[in-house]
Amino acid sequence: ADRYNRRVADLADRFAPHGFRFFQVFSGEQGGRTGVEAYCRKRKIGLPVVHDAMGDMARRLNVEVTPTVVVLGPAGEVVYRGRVDDNPDPQAVVRRDL
């Protein structure tokens, strides 16, 4: 999942002017709130972050692996659930799914 942080941030920069909002969700304990905050500082994650400690959001959105992207429509309906692209190596991407 670490290899996607920059790509997701780039997508957020590109689509925010069109009304899309991006945030990252950390499901599971992840060392608690301070663990998530330390992770984000170390990796310079600038997007808003949600700590889903009990995994409730992941279960509701049917997310089982990371990274998984979920796009919600205006009424909160899932309009896309899946991967960003086909390769963790940004130089080897052939297909951009998101």
Side-chain angles (χ1 to χ4, degrees):
D2 280 346
R3 298 176 108 187
Y4 283 91
N5 288 330
R6 180 73 257 152
R7 280 179 265 183
V8 171
D10 289 345
L11 287 167
D13 290 343
R14 181 175 169 196
F15 288 99
H18 302 285
F20 289 87
R21 296 183 320 175
F22 286 70
F23 58 93
Q24 288 183 268
V25 177
F26 289 82
S27 292
E29 186 49 38
Q30 306 282 334
R33 182 184 192 103
T34 57
V36 170
E37 290 170 354
Y39 175 92
C40 292
R41 270 193 313 278
K42 182 177 179 182
R43 287 159 181 85
K44 297 179 179 152
I45 294 174
L47 295 175
V49 172
V50 175
H51 183 206
D52 179 28
M54 302 303 291
D56 296 330
M57 182 181 293
R59 278 189 295 283
R60 277 196 308 269
L61 295 173
N62 197 27
V63 172
E64 297 177 2
V65 298
T66 61
T68 297
V69 174
V70 178
V71 178
L72 302 176
E77 74 280 14
V78 174
V79 296
Y80 177 78
R81 179 187 303 107
R83 62 189 188 176
V84 173
D85 55 43
D86 66 348
N87 202 307
D89 177 356
Q91 301 304 316
V93 171
V94 174
R95 181 176 167 180
R96 288 175 172 77
D97 300 304
L98 179 61

